[in-house]
Amino acid sequence: MAEAIMLNLGAAIGRQHAHDVVYDAAQSAFVDGRPFAELLAADPRITAHLDEKAITALLDPTAYTGLCAEMARDAATRARATAAEIAAAA
């Protein structure tokens, strides 16, 4: 879910800087074992642009599906086409 934070933050501070800030938090979470959301909410480079509520919302995986729906529709279309080819060959 770091990507959702980075993209949102990037609109305010630039993509590369947002990447660096979020990367720092992710590395700290890995090393220190602290929750990622906690580290993001404690970083003034982030909280100058995102409050805790926004951070929590951006980290909600159910709200961030990206291209999943489009990919699922494409896969279903391909599956239907393959099924029709198999049926026609039988």
Side-chain angles (χ1 to χ4, degrees), residues 2-86:
E3 182 180 31
I5 296 287
M6 186 190 72
L7 291 174
N8 195 285
L9 187 60
I13 66 172
R15 183 174 179 234
Q16 186 60 50
H17 186 56
H19 176 273
D20 294 342
V21 169
V22 173
Y23 179 85
D24 290 347
Q27 292 302 306
S28 293
F30 179 74
V31 171
D32 300 340
R34 290 175 56 199
F36 184 51
E38 180 183 306
L39 290 163
L40 293 170
D43 190 325
R45 299 173 296 176
I46 295 171
T47 57
H49 307 284
L50 300 172
D51 62 17
E52 191 170 345
K53 184 177 177 180
I55 292 168
T56 299
L58 288 166
L59 291 176
D60 179 2
T62 63
Y64 187 73
T65 58
L67 298 175
C68 291
E70 182 180 335
M71 291 167 56
R73 281 190 295 275
D74 290 345
T77 299
R78 287 192 310 275
R80 282 192 290 277
T82 301
E85 289 173 13
I86 292 169

